[in-house]
Amino acid sequence: MAKNGFLLISFLPFILFLQMNVFGGATTTRDDRKVYIVYLGSLSRGEYETSSQHQSILQEVVEGSPVENVLVRSYKRSFSGFAANLTDHERQKLASMEEVVSVFPSRTLQLHTTRSWDFMGFNQSITRKRSVESDIIVGVIDTGIWPESKSFSDKGFGPVPKKWKGACKGGINFPCNNKIIGARYYPTPVVYDNIARDYEGHGTHAASIASGNEVKDASFFGVGQGTARGGVPSTRVAVYKVCSPAGCTEEAILAAFDDAIADGVDIITISIGGAHPVNFTEDSVAIGSFHAMAKGVLTLQSAGNSGPYLSSTVSVAPWLMSVAASTTDRLFIDKVVLGSGQTLVGYSINTFSMKGKKFPLVDGRNVSRPCKQPLAFQVCTGGQGCLDSTLAKGKILICQSSDQFSEVLRSGAGGSVSLNDDKIGKVSFVVSFPSVAVSKDNFTSIYSYLKSTKKPEAEILTTEAITDSDAPVVAGFSSRGPNEIAPDILKPDISAPGVDILAAFSPFGVPIGDPLFKRQVTYSILSGTSMSCPHVAGVAAYVKSFHPDWSPSALKSAIMTTARPMNSSKNKDAEFAFGSGHINPVEAVNPGLVYETFEQDYIIMLCGMGYDEGNIGKISGNLSTCPKGSDKATPRDLNYPSMAAQVSPGRPFTINFSRTVTNVGLANTTYQAKILQNSKIGVKVVPEALTFKSLNEKKSFRVTVTGRGLSNGTIVSTSLIWADGNHNVRSPIIVHSLG
């Protein structure tokens, strides 16, 4: 692969343009037109939508341009809609049309960018149904895939599943096989290569976490060495490329959902999101995942990387599963050895050895020259030659920030020591030269040493792995709840490994986002909710292999109610950080009871939230009005596996949650309710026992939560556990007064 010089030259822009950007507005085109998505709801029952029908709608509003030049793409396989270049006046006219649900700008969203499976108790000796697994298809909506990776070899795979209706349309010289059974790409103003091949690495990494083959002796230059494998190596992969280094447009994302659902995938994983949550009918992932749910497909979405701030998660729709990122018990650390003999621990994935040699240690401020940015010299950055290479060359620089390795490397410095971001925590990122980020205390110690000796020096060691007994802990970057669109629906739903994950990578990708990093890799270490999301997709596929007929909500419930409780003392935002807890794959196969929610239940919730009744009919494909009494429904009435409620600060409250569970465990069994007490609230369950005579039998109960009032900004939580001696079905209960 490294010998293909023409490929390297042809795709050099992808390698150089590495920083993902988020644009809040629509994609700009000529004549003050912008790309908007016109969402029309479900396909007409018994009919097949055509582009000509969408052109007919456009003809009624478009002025001054041929309709065929305005229409960007049509959505017509799984739901109805189109993307078009519109003026603001045309947008307004379309939005007022009766057949239109919503018109919204095609935002450019961002990517939410081994040991993890063993840490979850999901080792290679677990019971599997490989013949069933091989019939499960995981759809990956991302940056594409590197098909030549060993993680996607089809050795030992049988023919493509008969249910598959997709195609291999990955572009020139893109090879599908019996592992990667489908590939599509969606050219847009930001995705300008006509091939599903991954030149960044993100999509390859995500796909291999969910479905990659077992590959022995995988590592990142020796770091993290072991067997890399996905959650369900026997599953098939279908790839939908919607992203480039410039982002992922919503028009392409909706097209990918439209195709993936019709192609016949069983699970969709998408590690993409915007800068902030938006209305369900103006959110491409919420729209696509709704129609996926209606066709029996569960969508997993990353919660986002905007933590640790509250209300930062963008994955808020109740019909999809939102995934937070947490640590594993394998912690990558690096050490800096001072000339005094003192050794200080920090964090980085550093594979560059100084070979026992110590280098002069200097304050980055003392090797800088005047810059346009006042504080650039303090952080060894600025991007404008702020570092004086004649002074920095061959030295280890002490910098306030760890964000700008390129500037330090360009100066000829031998290495850098920087201040770790407390909000990020114990996360190690790949570096392009000897570098380490240390805690505030260790940073202070280094400065003290610097001032105490005339010739300070240091050596930065290479990365090593140690055991982290605190794990799992939610990563600082992982986006938090509460849910800004529906505050009474707990988000995120679950937490899974997303810190320093080793998985397959594109040899054309740059794992650090630094154009000066010249080494090609086939496996890399990345962190983000982009890594945790495909872990849960793999678990969902595993559970589905035992229960092929389970609904998306049953799969989701099984994963949530069997999750391991996480320690709130280590995660101050509690359930708003980790959801129901840390994923427990083996137990999820046998949850005992499940909370099921179907399309009509979500429709009732939307009616109660005040969504337009006519639009709800278009979304569901049922043009009847909202059911009687649904205007009084609230999101907390949804039959969700968790229970959450927002209350007014300082006021007494009484909250009722009505739930129904379905028995999927044992016949002739009785479950007793158990509440983990919290002195700040009272919880009563009626009835306190549920007796089931048969499988698939349903029983309902009510949970009443009372309290004297919460001070502003308070989160109070407990759990309801239904136990029958064989199963513990746990649902978190959260009451909060967050604004």
Side-chain angles (χ1 to χ4, degrees):
M1 286 175 279
K3 295 180 180 179
N4 293 333
F6 76 97
L7 281 175
L8 179 60
I9 295 171
S10 300
F11 294 97
L12 192 58
F14 291 93
I15 298 171
L16 295 178
F17 194 145
L18 295 161
Q19 178 63 45
M20 293 302 304
N21 295 304
V22 183
F23 301 93
T27 306
T28 304
T29 59
R30 293 174 297 176
D31 303 323
D32 294 325
R33 292 181 177 273
K34 298 178 180 179
V35 178
Y36 288 90
I37 293 168
V38 183
Y39 175 47
L40 304 176
S42 289
L43 293 173
S44 302
R45 297 190 184 278
E47 294 185 15
Y48 183 79
E49 295 282 335
T50 64
S51 297
S52 61
Q53 291 171 292
H54 297 153
Q55 288 178 349
S56 297
I57 295 173
L58 279 172
Q59 283 175 344
E60 297 183 37
V61 301
V62 170
E63 303 167 347
S65 294
V67 168
E68 56 270 22
N69 293 345
V70 171
L71 182 66
V72 175
R73 67 175 82 250
S74 286
Y75 312 118
K76 54 190 178 182
R77 299 185 69 198
S78 304
F79 47 87
S80 182
F82 56 89
N85 289 311
L86 304 172
T87 64
D88 187 62
H89 180 62
E90 292 165 350
R91 175 195 64 80
Q92 293 180 40
K93 290 171 68 175
L94 276 168
S96 67
M97 296 177 71
E98 184 178 353
E99 59 264 50
V100 173
V101 175
S102 58
V103 181
F104 55 97
S106 174
R107 298 175 300 159
T108 301
L109 308 186
Q110 65 178 350
L111 295 165
H112 290 154
T113 298
T114 120
R115 172 63 191 158
S116 57
W117 291 112
D118 289 334
F119 174 65
M120 294 186 288
F122 201 55
N123 55 48
Q124 291 168 283
S125 63
I126 60 167
T127 302
R128 290 189 179 276
K129 293 188 175 183
R130 296 188 185 277
S131 61
V132 182
E133 283 183 3
S134 68
D135 205 39
I136 294 174
I137 305 164
V138 177
V140 182
I141 301 177
D142 212 291
T143 63
I145 199 168
W146 191 261
E148 289 83 6
S149 171
K150 292 180 181 179
S151 290
F152 309 115
S153 165
D154 67 350
K155 183 178 180 180
F157 279 79
V160 172
K162 293 180 180 180
K163 65 181 180 181
W164 176 241
K165 300 176 184 177
C168 184
K169 295 183 178 180
I172 298 174
N173 296 325
F174 185 94
C176 290
N177 56 26
N178 285 337
K179 174 69 174 179
I180 303 174
I181 63 173
R184 299 180 188 271
Y185 61 91
Y186 304 89
T188 69
V190 300
V191 180
Y192 36 84
D193 58 330
N194 296 321
I195 193 168
R197 189 176 291 279
D198 181 12
Y199 292 100
E200 296 168 68
H202 190 277
T204 301
H205 202 271
S208 68
I209 291 171
S211 301
N213 301 328
E214 295 180 4
V215 178
K216 295 181 179 179
D217 297 321
S219 72
F220 181 78
F221 297 104
V223 177
Q225 186 164 6
T227 299
R229 60 187 174 93
V232 273
S234 300
T235 54
R236 317 300 178 113
V237 177
V239 181
Y240 302 87
K241 181 176 179 176
V242 300
C243 302
S244 78
C248 324
T249 66
E250 290 195 287
E251 54 158 300
I253 291 169
L254 266 180
F257 270 106
D258 189 32
D259 283 330
I261 297 166
D263 287 346
V265 303
D266 297 291
I267 303 290
I268 293 174
T269 178
I270 177 167
S271 295
I272 298 169
H276 52 80
V278 295
N279 190 302
F280 294 144
T281 57
E282 297 180 357
D283 180 342
S284 59
V285 179
I287 291 170
S289 60
F290 180 90
H291 292 285
M293 172 275 302
K295 297 293 176 63
V297 179
L298 176 62
T299 299
L300 296 304
Q301 185 187 18
S302 48
N305 296 340
S306 299
Y309 306 106
L310 290 170
S311 300
S312 56
T313 183
V314 297
S315 178
V316 294
W319 45 80
L320 57 74
M321 195 164 193
S322 310
V323 187
S326 50
T327 60
T328 72
D329 62 348
R330 182 172 68 177
L331 177 64
F332 292 122
I333 64 167
D334 203 350
K335 296 176 181 177
V336 54
V337 182
L338 304 180
S340 62
Q342 184 180 13
T343 299
L344 301 172
V345 175
Y347 304 100
S348 70
I349 305 295
N350 171 38
T351 58
F352 299 90
S353 174
M354 289 186 164
K355 300 179 180 178
K357 181 181 177 181
K358 287 184 170 58
F359 290 75
L361 183 68
V362 299
D363 189 334
R365 293 174 291 188
N366 295 333
V367 294
S368 300
R369 50 192 170 200
C371 296
K372 292 181 180 179
Q373 294 176 278
L375 297 179
F377 65 89
Q378 292 185 24
V379 296
C380 306
T381 182
Q384 302 172 28
C386 294
L387 292 176
D388 188 331
S389 60
T390 59
L391 299 175
K393 188 174 183 180
K395 298 179 176 66
I396 296 176
L397 274 55
I398 303 174
C399 307
Q400 293 285 336
S401 170
S402 59
D403 294 337
Q404 297 292 333
F405 296 115
S406 295
E407 186 73 8
V408 179
L409 183 58
R410 192 178 289 110
S411 74
S416 75
V417 178
S418 57
L419 179 62
N420 193 39
D421 187 342
D422 289 339
K423 296 190 295 292
I424 298 297
K426 297 188 289 187
V427 181
S428 292
F429 295 102
V430 173
V431 295
S432 51
F433 68 110
S435 183
V436 60
V438 299
S439 67
K440 186 176 181 179
D441 287 344
N442 284 348
F443 196 71
T444 300
S445 296
I446 293 172
Y447 258 115
S448 297
Y449 164 71
L450 183 71
K451 296 174 181 178
S452 68
T453 182
K454 293 182 179 180
K455 293 185 177 180
E457 58 182 6
E459 178 189 3
I460 298 172
L461 306 182
T462 54
T463 295
E464 60 182 280
I466 64 172
T467 299
D468 183 5
S469 58
D470 288 335
V473 174
V474 175
F477 59 74
S478 186
S479 292
R480 267 68 168 169
N483 186 332
E484 281 204 335
I485 304 300
D488 289 350
I489 297 293
L490 177 64
K491 291 290 176 174
D493 292 303
I494 197 78
S495 179
V499 175
D500 296 331
I501 305 299
L502 176 72
F505 203 68
S506 167
F508 282 83
V510 182
I512 185 179
D514 183 346
L516 298 181
F517 188 93
K518 303 297 185 182
R519 305 158 95 186
Q520 285 192 330
V521 299
T522 54
Y523 287 83
S524 189
I525 296 171
L526 301 180
S527 295
T529 53
S530 286
M531 285 68 252
S532 58
C533 181
H535 273 98
V536 183
V539 173
Y542 178 68
V543 176
K544 190 173 180 65
S545 71
F546 286 84
H547 308 285
D549 299 328
W550 275 13
S551 66
S553 62
L555 294 173
K556 179 177 175 180
S557 174
I559 293 170
M560 290 174 66
T561 60
T562 57
R564 290 190 176 95
M566 293 182 70
N567 191 336
S568 295
S569 67
K570 298 177 183 178
N571 301 274
K572 70 180 184 68
D573 299 317
E575 282 79 5
F576 288 135
F578 51 69
S580 294
H582 199 264
I583 194 165
N584 189 352
V586 176
E587 292 297 320
V589 170
N590 184 21
L593 305 174
V594 293
Y595 295 79
E596 288 201 277
T597 312
F598 298 99
E599 182 180 0
Q600 184 61 20
D601 300 308
Y602 298 118
I603 292 298
I604 292 172
M605 184 199 76
L606 294 175
C607 291
M609 291 179 69
Y611 281 78
D612 181 82
E613 193 169 331
N615 285 341
I616 290 173
K618 299 182 189 78
I619 293 168
S620 66
N622 181 357
L623 298 183
S624 62
T625 58
C626 288
K628 185 177 180 179
S630 60
D631 58 321
K632 298 179 181 179
T634 67
R636 78 176 62 148
D637 297 322
L638 194 66
N639 197 42
Y640 215 66
S642 59
M643 304 174 206
Q646 182 183 37
V647 298
S648 299
R651 296 183 181 180
F653 55 84
T654 298
I655 304 163
N656 292 309
F657 299 98
S658 296
R659 295 291 187 267
T660 298
V661 288
T662 303
N663 180 27
V664 295
L666 301 170
N668 298 313
T669 188
T670 297
Y671 285 82
Q672 299 288 339
K674 182 169 62 174
I675 296 293
L676 302 180
Q677 295 300 324
N678 188 313
S679 61
K680 294 183 179 180
I681 54 175
V683 182
K684 183 178 181 180
V685 183
V686 178
E688 294 181 345
L690 301 175
T691 298
F692 297 91
K693 295 182 179 180
S694 60
L695 290 176
N696 298 315
E697 185 179 355
K698 297 179 183 293
K699 292 285 184 179
S700 298
F701 62 93
R702 173 171 286 200
V703 177
T704 301
V705 182
T706 57
R708 295 180 180 179
L710 302 178
S711 58
N712 190 35
T714 299
I715 303 170
V716 179
S717 63
T718 184
S719 291
L720 164 65
I721 300 173
W722 287 106
D724 70 343
N726 294 292
H727 308 91
N728 289 294
V729 187
R730 188 178 63 86
S731 292
I733 302 172
I734 301 93
V735 181
H736 69 95
S737 56
L738 301 172

